[in-house]
Amino acid sequence: MGEFTKAVTDASFETEVLKSSKPVLVDFWAEWCGPCKMVAPVLEELAKEMGEQVTIAKVNVEESPDAPTNFGVRGIPTMILFKDGVPVATKVGALPKEKLKEWIESAL
């Protein structure tokens, strides 16, 4: 993954996301998904800028199908913000950086 985003798998999801002490934004993505590739550098920048407030994690839905299934992910990219192990906000599709940042901040 990127320098600031964290790769999470089905095996590490509970530890890295559900039991995290700070909020975690999970980006569900796939290699073949065009909009996922567009949003990836944006999430990388946000992870760098907002790392104190939120962890930005990425789950490859091809390699880890359980987590997206458990949380009802139908289309990708889907971003779900978890706080204290509970999904509190969901966004589907690629967004410009400012919109994504506003959404994250409003959900924190």
Side-chain angles (χ1 to χ4, degrees):
M1 272 307 95
E3 196 180 339
F4 297 97
T5 53
K6 177 186 283 196
V8 173
T9 62
D10 280 340
S12 65
F13 197 87
E14 186 176 354
T15 309
E16 300 279 4
V17 179
L18 303 180
K19 293 186 173 167
S20 172
S21 57
K22 72 176 171 183
V24 183
L25 177 73
V26 181
D27 172 32
F28 293 95
W29 70 286
E31 209 56 64
W32 46 263
C33 162
C36 298
K37 291 191 167 132
M38 284 167 38
V39 82
V42 172
L43 289 171
E44 196 60 43
E45 287 175 35
L46 289 173
K48 184 179 179 182
E49 291 170 23
M50 302 178 76
E52 295 293 304
Q53 301 160 272
V54 63
T55 298
I56 297 184
K58 297 176 72 77
V59 173
N60 183 326
V61 299
E62 301 273 288
E63 295 166 6
S64 297
D66 294 348
T69 301
N70 292 345
F71 294 100
V73 174
R74 287 186 177 73
I76 51 172
T78 292
M79 286 156 272
I80 302 178
L81 186 69
F82 289 85
K83 278 166 88 173
D84 302 317
V86 181
V88 293
T90 304
K91 256 304 174 229
V92 180
L95 289 172
K97 183 179 173 189
E98 283 312 305
K99 292 262 181 264
L100 204 49
K101 187 172 185 177
E102 282 170 23
W103 172 69
I104 296 169
E105 286 172 342
S106 71
L108 291 177

